Amino acid sequence: MTTVSRAIDCLVNVSLTGGQDPPEWLVRVKEDYFKGGRAFLEDLDFDELVDEMDRLGVRRAILMSSIRKGSLARAREFAEKAPERFSLGVGGLDLLRPMPTLRALAEVAANAPVSYVSVGPSFWGDGNYPPGDAVYYPLYTKACELDLPVCVNTGLPGPPLPGEAQHPIHLDRVCLRFPELKLCMIHGADPWWDTAVRLMIKYRNLHLMTSAWSPRHLPDSLLHYMRTRGRKKIIFASDAPVLPLTRAVTEAARLDLEPEVLDDYLYANAERFFFNGGEER
């Protein structure tokens, strides 16, 4: 096992199912796409997660949760136990009912350590709403008001769901209309990596997170961008237990990157983007 001096894991799922039977698409992505084992759908244990983070050098993790109170509770429990280690990413937003959804989001953000909100265009509305659609605009406006980053799934989804809505090009108009919005593509951008890189060069407010993407399989074009113009743009995450945290950190540490570039990827970019900071070593 490889350790690093410091890292932030920006997407961890303490409960993929929220205590319910897994949906069929999640079973399919587990068995057909990731070839995941039994642990794939199991809830994470607080002590085991903290121990694993300590062994690897991971100082902090952002836990994915849903705005629905039942799903939010488990992730929020972790954050309350160790506020210096955990904060929340909030998804499950009903963008077709914007006002009650945004009121609920504002309430959660006021009472819990929320680091970002998350939307997956392929995972709702039968994939009919790409992120440039006006249905997202109330969320973008509220996120700017709350100074909350918005994380948007990009790239073809692993489950058998419509994928066109997750083409990065749909963020082109979003970045132009909302230059104040802190926007991050998550789960990579396969097979549209070059489009994602071109958009990040074009827009200062756009970043990319490599969650659910094995670091050793990152494309050469993205690694080149990380070494050059994109050193401050690419953010590490595992999406554990989908991609185990130990595997993600170990593979990231072995990338052919200069130490300063690796530190930006594993830690400093997330510290700046999600936590408005720049903690010294």
Short mmCIF file of all heavy atoms in Angstrom, two decimals, residues 214-260:
data_model
loop_
_atom_site.label_atom_id
_atom_site.label_comp_id
_atom_site.label_asym_id
_atom_site.label_seq_id
_atom_site.Cartn_x
_atom_site.Cartn_y
_atom_site.Cartn_z
N SER A 214 -10.22 5.08 -12.36
CA SER A 214 -8.95 4.54 -11.91
C SER A 214 -7.81 5.44 -12.38
O SER A 214 -7.65 5.66 -13.59
CB SER A 214 -8.77 3.12 -12.47
OG SER A 214 -7.45 2.66 -12.26
N PRO A 215 -6.98 6.00 -11.47
CA PRO A 215 -5.91 6.90 -11.91
C PRO A 215 -4.98 6.30 -12.94
O PRO A 215 -4.50 7.01 -13.83
CB PRO A 215 -5.18 7.22 -10.60
CG PRO A 215 -6.25 7.15 -9.56
CD PRO A 215 -7.12 5.99 -10.00
N ARG A 216 -4.72 5.01 -12.86
CA ARG A 216 -3.78 4.42 -13.84
C ARG A 216 -4.39 4.33 -15.23
O ARG A 216 -3.66 4.07 -16.20
CB ARG A 216 -3.29 3.05 -13.37
CG ARG A 216 -4.31 1.94 -13.39
CD ARG A 216 -3.73 0.69 -12.74
NE ARG A 216 -4.67 -0.41 -12.70
CZ ARG A 216 -4.75 -1.37 -13.62
NH1 ARG A 216 -3.92 -1.35 -14.66
NH2 ARG A 216 -5.62 -2.34 -13.52
N HIS A 217 -5.69 4.56 -15.35
CA HIS A 217 -6.33 4.55 -16.66
C HIS A 217 -6.68 5.95 -17.16
O HIS A 217 -7.35 6.09 -18.19
CB HIS A 217 -7.60 3.70 -16.62
CG HIS A 217 -7.35 2.23 -16.43
ND1 HIS A 217 -6.54 1.50 -17.29
CD2 HIS A 217 -7.78 1.36 -15.48
CE1 HIS A 217 -6.50 0.25 -16.89
NE2 HIS A 217 -7.23 0.14 -15.79
N LEU A 218 -6.22 6.98 -16.47
CA LEU A 218 -6.44 8.33 -16.97
C LEU A 218 -5.74 8.50 -18.31
O LEU A 218 -4.60 8.05 -18.48
CB LEU A 218 -5.92 9.37 -15.97
CG LEU A 218 -6.70 9.47 -14.65
CD1 LEU A 218 -5.98 10.41 -13.69
CD2 LEU A 218 -8.13 9.94 -14.88
N PRO A 219 -6.37 9.18 -19.26
CA PRO A 219 -5.77 9.28 -20.60
C PRO A 219 -4.54 10.18 -20.61
O PRO A 219 -4.41 11.10 -19.78
CB PRO A 219 -6.90 9.88 -21.44
CG PRO A 219 -7.74 10.63 -20.47
CD PRO A 219 -7.69 9.83 -19.19
N ASP A 220 -3.65 9.93 -21.54
CA ASP A 220 -2.42 10.72 -21.66
C ASP A 220 -2.71 12.20 -21.87
O ASP A 220 -1.97 13.05 -21.39
CB ASP A 220 -1.55 10.18 -22.79
CG ASP A 220 -0.96 8.81 -22.48
OD1 ASP A 220 -0.88 8.46 -21.28
OD2 ASP A 220 -0.58 8.10 -23.43
N SER A 221 -3.77 12.49 -22.60
CA SER A 221 -4.10 13.89 -22.87
C SER A 221 -4.42 14.64 -21.58
O SER A 221 -4.05 15.82 -21.43
CB SER A 221 -5.27 13.99 -23.84
OG SER A 221 -6.43 13.35 -23.32
N LEU A 222 -5.10 13.99 -20.64
CA LEU A 222 -5.42 14.64 -19.38
C LEU A 222 -4.16 14.79 -18.53
O LEU A 222 -3.94 15.84 -17.90
CB LEU A 222 -6.48 13.85 -18.61
CG LEU A 222 -6.97 14.56 -17.33
CD1 LEU A 222 -7.90 15.71 -17.69
CD2 LEU A 222 -7.66 13.58 -16.38
N LEU A 223 -3.32 13.78 -18.50
CA LEU A 223 -2.07 13.86 -17.73
C LEU A 223 -1.17 14.96 -18.27
O LEU A 223 -0.54 15.68 -17.49
CB LEU A 223 -1.36 12.51 -17.75
CG LEU A 223 -2.08 11.36 -17.03
CD1 LEU A 223 -1.36 10.04 -17.27
CD2 LEU A 223 -2.21 11.63 -15.54
N HIS A 224 -1.13 15.10 -19.58
CA HIS A 224 -0.35 16.19 -20.17
C HIS A 224 -0.91 17.54 -19.73
O HIS A 224 -0.15 18.46 -19.38
CB HIS A 224 -0.37 16.08 -21.70
CG HIS A 224 0.26 17.25 -22.38
ND1 HIS A 224 1.63 17.44 -22.44
CD2 HIS A 224 -0.29 18.32 -23.02
CE1 HIS A 224 1.89 18.55 -23.09
NE2 HIS A 224 0.75 19.12 -23.45
N TYR A 225 -2.22 17.68 -19.73
CA TYR A 225 -2.86 18.92 -19.29
C TYR A 225 -2.54 19.20 -17.82
O TYR A 225 -2.25 20.33 -17.44
CB TYR A 225 -4.37 18.81 -19.50
CG TYR A 225 -5.15 20.01 -19.06
CD1 TYR A 225 -4.97 21.27 -19.64
CD2 TYR A 225 -6.11 19.88 -18.05
CE1 TYR A 225 -5.71 22.36 -19.23
CE2 TYR A 225 -6.86 20.98 -17.63
CZ TYR A 225 -6.65 22.21 -18.23
OH TYR A 225 -7.38 23.30 -17.82
N MET A 226 -2.53 18.15 -16.99
CA MET A 226 -2.20 18.32 -15.57
C MET A 226 -0.78 18.82 -15.39
O MET A 226 -0.49 19.61 -14.49
CB MET A 226 -2.40 16.99 -14.83
CG MET A 226 -3.85 16.55 -14.72
SD MET A 226 -4.04 14.84 -14.15
CE MET A 226 -3.47 14.97 -12.46
N ARG A 227 0.13 18.36 -16.23
CA ARG A 227 1.54 18.74 -16.11
C ARG A 227 1.79 20.15 -16.64
O ARG A 227 2.84 20.74 -16.34
CB ARG A 227 2.42 17.75 -16.88
CG ARG A 227 2.39 16.33 -16.37
CD ARG A 227 3.37 15.46 -17.16
NE ARG A 227 3.22 14.05 -16.83
CZ ARG A 227 2.66 13.16 -17.63
NH1 ARG A 227 2.19 13.53 -18.82
NH2 ARG A 227 2.55 11.89 -17.26
N THR A 228 0.87 20.67 -17.42
CA THR A 228 1.12 21.95 -18.10
C THR A 228 0.09 22.98 -17.67
O THR A 228 0.11 23.46 -16.55
CB THR A 228 1.12 21.73 -19.63
OG1 THR A 228 -0.11 21.10 -20.03
CG2 THR A 228 2.29 20.86 -20.05
N ARG A 229 -0.84 23.33 -18.53
CA ARG A 229 -1.77 24.42 -18.25
C ARG A 229 -2.83 24.08 -17.22
O ARG A 229 -3.45 24.97 -16.64
CB ARG A 229 -2.46 24.85 -19.56
CG ARG A 229 -1.48 25.34 -20.61
CD ARG A 229 -2.17 25.70 -21.91
NE ARG A 229 -3.01 26.89 -21.78
CZ ARG A 229 -3.64 27.46 -22.80
NH1 ARG A 229 -3.52 26.94 -24.02
NH2 ARG A 229 -4.38 28.54 -22.62
N GLY A 230 -3.05 22.79 -16.97
CA GLY A 230 -4.14 22.39 -16.10
C GLY A 230 -3.73 21.97 -14.71
O GLY A 230 -4.49 21.28 -14.02
N ARG A 231 -2.56 22.38 -14.28
CA ARG A 231 -2.07 21.94 -12.97
C ARG A 231 -3.03 22.27 -11.83
O ARG A 231 -3.16 21.51 -10.87
CB ARG A 231 -0.71 22.58 -12.71
CG ARG A 231 -0.16 22.29 -11.33
CD ARG A 231 1.24 22.85 -11.13
NE ARG A 231 1.60 22.89 -9.74
CZ ARG A 231 2.76 23.33 -9.27
NH1 ARG A 231 3.68 23.79 -10.11
NH2 ARG A 231 3.01 23.34 -7.97
N LYS A 232 -3.75 23.38 -11.92
CA LYS A 232 -4.65 23.83 -10.85
C LYS A 232 -6.10 23.42 -11.10
O LYS A 232 -6.99 23.84 -10.36
CB LYS A 232 -4.58 25.35 -10.71
CG LYS A 232 -3.20 25.90 -10.44
CD LYS A 232 -2.65 25.42 -9.11
CE LYS A 232 -1.30 26.05 -8.80
NZ LYS A 232 -0.72 25.57 -7.52
N LYS A 233 -6.36 22.60 -12.10
CA LYS A 233 -7.73 22.34 -12.53
C LYS A 233 -8.28 20.95 -12.22
O LYS A 233 -9.49 20.74 -12.21
CB LYS A 233 -7.83 22.55 -14.05
CG LYS A 233 -7.74 24.00 -14.49
CD LYS A 233 -9.00 24.76 -14.10
CE LYS A 233 -9.08 26.09 -14.82
NZ LYS A 233 -10.26 26.20 -15.66
N ILE A 234 -7.40 19.98 -11.97
CA ILE A 234 -7.84 18.59 -11.85
C ILE A 234 -7.81 18.17 -10.38
O ILE A 234 -6.83 18.39 -9.67
CB ILE A 234 -6.96 17.65 -12.69
CG1 ILE A 234 -6.83 18.18 -14.12
CG2 ILE A 234 -7.56 16.24 -12.70
CD1 ILE A 234 -8.15 18.39 -14.84
N ILE A 235 -8.91 17.53 -9.93
CA ILE A 235 -9.15 17.24 -8.52
C ILE A 235 -9.33 15.74 -8.32
O ILE A 235 -10.06 15.08 -9.06
CB ILE A 235 -10.39 18.02 -8.03
CG1 ILE A 235 -10.14 19.54 -8.12
CG2 ILE A 235 -10.79 17.61 -6.62
CD1 ILE A 235 -11.37 20.38 -7.88
N PHE A 236 -8.69 15.23 -7.29
CA PHE A 236 -8.75 13.80 -6.97
C PHE A 236 -10.02 13.43 -6.22
O PHE A 236 -10.51 14.18 -5.37
CB PHE A 236 -7.53 13.41 -6.13
CG PHE A 236 -7.60 12.03 -5.55
CD1 PHE A 236 -7.30 10.92 -6.33
CD2 PHE A 236 -7.97 11.82 -4.23
CE1 PHE A 236 -7.36 9.63 -5.80
CE2 PHE A 236 -8.03 10.55 -3.69
CZ PHE A 236 -7.72 9.45 -4.47
N ALA A 237 -10.54 12.23 -6.49
CA ALA A 237 -11.61 11.62 -5.70
C ALA A 237 -11.65 10.14 -6.04
O ALA A 237 -11.23 9.73 -7.12
CB ALA A 237 -12.96 12.27 -5.98
N SER A 238 -12.21 9.34 -5.13
CA SER A 238 -12.27 7.91 -5.38
C SER A 238 -13.65 7.44 -5.85
O SER A 238 -13.77 6.64 -6.75
CB SER A 238 -11.90 7.14 -4.11
OG SER A 238 -12.89 7.31 -3.09
N ASP A 239 -14.71 7.94 -5.22
CA ASP A 239 -16.08 7.42 -5.36
C ASP A 239 -16.21 6.09 -4.62
O ASP A 239 -17.00 5.23 -5.00
CB ASP A 239 -16.50 7.26 -6.82
CG ASP A 239 -18.01 7.17 -6.99
OD1 ASP A 239 -18.74 7.63 -6.09
OD2 ASP A 239 -18.46 6.65 -8.03
N ALA A 240 -15.43 5.91 -3.55
CA ALA A 240 -15.52 4.69 -2.74
C ALA A 240 -16.96 4.50 -2.24
O ALA A 240 -17.65 5.47 -1.95
CB ALA A 240 -14.57 4.81 -1.54
N PRO A 241 -17.41 3.24 -2.13
CA PRO A 241 -16.70 1.98 -2.42
C PRO A 241 -16.73 1.56 -3.89
O PRO A 241 -16.28 0.47 -4.20
CB PRO A 241 -17.45 0.99 -1.55
CG PRO A 241 -18.87 1.49 -1.57
CD PRO A 241 -18.76 2.99 -1.57
N VAL A 242 -17.31 2.41 -4.77
CA VAL A 242 -17.33 2.06 -6.20
C VAL A 242 -15.90 1.82 -6.68
O VAL A 242 -15.58 0.80 -7.30
CB VAL A 242 -18.01 3.17 -7.01
CG1 VAL A 242 -17.91 2.89 -8.51
CG2 VAL A 242 -19.47 3.32 -6.59
N LEU A 243 -15.01 2.78 -6.41
CA LEU A 243 -13.58 2.59 -6.60
C LEU A 243 -12.95 2.69 -5.22
O LEU A 243 -13.01 3.74 -4.58
CB LEU A 243 -13.01 3.67 -7.52
CG LEU A 243 -11.52 3.56 -7.84
CD1 LEU A 243 -11.26 2.35 -8.73
CD2 LEU A 243 -11.02 4.83 -8.52
N PRO A 244 -12.39 1.62 -4.69
CA PRO A 244 -11.88 1.63 -3.32
C PRO A 244 -10.85 2.73 -3.09
O PRO A 244 -10.01 3.02 -3.95
CB PRO A 244 -11.25 0.24 -3.16
CG PRO A 244 -11.99 -0.62 -4.14
CD PRO A 244 -12.27 0.27 -5.31
N LEU A 245 -10.93 3.35 -1.93
CA LEU A 245 -10.05 4.47 -1.61
C LEU A 245 -8.59 4.06 -1.66
O LEU A 245 -7.75 4.80 -2.20
CB LEU A 245 -10.41 5.00 -0.21
CG LEU A 245 -9.55 6.12 0.37
CD1 LEU A 245 -9.49 7.30 -0.57
CD2 LEU A 245 -10.08 6.53 1.74
N THR A 246 -8.24 2.91 -1.10
CA THR A 246 -6.85 2.46 -1.10
C THR A 246 -6.32 2.32 -2.52
O THR A 246 -5.20 2.75 -2.83
CB THR A 246 -6.71 1.13 -0.34
OG1 THR A 246 -7.06 1.33 1.03
CG2 THR A 246 -5.29 0.60 -0.43
N ARG A 247 -7.11 1.73 -3.39
CA ARG A 247 -6.67 1.58 -4.78
C ARG A 247 -6.49 2.95 -5.44
O ARG A 247 -5.49 3.18 -6.13
CB ARG A 247 -7.70 0.76 -5.57
CG ARG A 247 -7.37 0.68 -7.05
CD ARG A 247 -8.43 -0.07 -7.84
NE ARG A 247 -8.19 0.06 -9.27
CZ ARG A 247 -9.00 -0.41 -10.22
NH1 ARG A 247 -10.11 -1.06 -9.87
NH2 ARG A 247 -8.71 -0.24 -11.50
N ALA A 248 -7.42 3.86 -5.23
CA ALA A 248 -7.37 5.16 -5.89
C ALA A 248 -6.13 5.95 -5.46
O ALA A 248 -5.42 6.53 -6.29
CB ALA A 248 -8.64 5.96 -5.60
N VAL A 249 -5.85 5.99 -4.16
CA VAL A 249 -4.69 6.73 -3.66
C VAL A 249 -3.40 6.08 -4.14
O VAL A 249 -2.46 6.76 -4.57
CB VAL A 249 -4.73 6.84 -2.13
CG1 VAL A 249 -3.42 7.42 -1.60
CG2 VAL A 249 -5.90 7.70 -1.68
N THR A 250 -3.33 4.76 -4.05
CA THR A 250 -2.12 4.04 -4.46
C THR A 250 -1.79 4.29 -5.93
O THR A 250 -0.65 4.57 -6.29
CB THR A 250 -2.28 2.53 -4.20
OG1 THR A 250 -2.48 2.31 -2.80
CG2 THR A 250 -1.06 1.76 -4.66
N GLU A 251 -2.82 4.20 -6.78
CA GLU A 251 -2.58 4.41 -8.21
C GLU A 251 -2.23 5.87 -8.50
O GLU A 251 -1.38 6.15 -9.35
CB GLU A 251 -3.81 3.98 -9.01
CG GLU A 251 -4.04 2.47 -9.00
CD GLU A 251 -5.17 2.05 -9.90
OE1 GLU A 251 -5.73 2.93 -10.61
OE2 GLU A 251 -5.50 0.86 -9.92
N ALA A 252 -2.88 6.80 -7.80
CA ALA A 252 -2.58 8.22 -8.01
C ALA A 252 -1.13 8.52 -7.65
O ALA A 252 -0.42 9.26 -8.36
CB ALA A 252 -3.53 9.08 -7.20
N ALA A 253 -0.66 7.96 -6.54
CA ALA A 253 0.70 8.22 -6.08
C ALA A 253 1.75 7.70 -7.05
O ALA A 253 2.89 8.18 -7.07
CB ALA A 253 0.91 7.58 -4.70
N ARG A 254 1.38 6.74 -7.88
CA ARG A 254 2.32 6.14 -8.82
C ARG A 254 2.28 6.79 -10.20
O ARG A 254 3.02 6.36 -11.11
CB ARG A 254 2.03 4.64 -8.95
CG ARG A 254 2.32 3.87 -7.66
CD ARG A 254 1.85 2.43 -7.74
NE ARG A 254 2.17 1.71 -6.51
CZ ARG A 254 1.71 0.49 -6.22
NH1 ARG A 254 0.92 -0.14 -7.09
NH2 ARG A 254 2.02 -0.08 -5.09
N LEU A 255 1.45 7.81 -10.38
CA LEU A 255 1.42 8.50 -11.67
C LEU A 255 2.74 9.21 -11.93
O LEU A 255 3.43 9.64 -11.01
CB LEU A 255 0.27 9.51 -11.69
CG LEU A 255 -1.15 8.95 -11.70
CD1 LEU A 255 -2.16 10.08 -11.54
CD2 LEU A 255 -1.42 8.18 -12.99
N ASP A 256 3.08 9.35 -13.19
CA ASP A 256 4.31 10.03 -13.58
C ASP A 256 4.08 11.54 -13.55
O ASP A 256 3.92 12.19 -14.59
CB ASP A 256 4.73 9.57 -14.97
CG ASP A 256 6.05 10.19 -15.42
OD1 ASP A 256 6.79 10.68 -14.54
OD2 ASP A 256 6.31 10.20 -16.64
N LEU A 257 4.03 12.08 -12.33
CA LEU A 257 3.80 13.50 -12.12
C LEU A 257 4.87 14.05 -11.18
O LEU A 257 5.30 13.35 -10.25
CB LEU A 257 2.43 13.75 -11.50
CG LEU A 257 1.19 13.31 -12.30
CD1 LEU A 257 -0.06 13.46 -11.46
CD2 LEU A 257 1.07 14.09 -13.61
N GLU A 258 5.29 15.28 -11.41
CA GLU A 258 6.21 15.94 -10.48
C GLU A 258 5.53 16.06 -9.11
O GLU A 258 4.30 16.18 -9.03
CB GLU A 258 6.58 17.33 -10.99
CG GLU A 258 7.44 17.30 -12.25
CD GLU A 258 8.81 16.68 -11.98
OE1 GLU A 258 9.37 16.90 -10.89
OE2 GLU A 258 9.30 15.96 -12.87
N PRO A 259 6.30 16.03 -8.02
CA PRO A 259 5.69 16.09 -6.68
C PRO A 259 4.74 17.26 -6.48
O PRO A 259 3.69 17.11 -5.84
CB PRO A 259 6.91 16.18 -5.75
CG PRO A 259 8.02 15.53 -6.51
CD PRO A 259 7.77 15.85 -7.95
N GLU A 260 5.07 18.41 -7.03
CA GLU A 260 4.21 19.59 -6.86
C GLU A 260 2.90 19.40 -7.61
O GLU A 260 1.84 19.83 -7.14
CB GLU A 260 4.93 20.85 -7.36
CG GLU A 260 6.18 21.20 -6.57
CD GLU A 260 7.41 20.41 -7.00
OE1 GLU A 260 7.30 19.61 -7.97
OE2 GLU A 260 8.47 20.58 -6.38
#
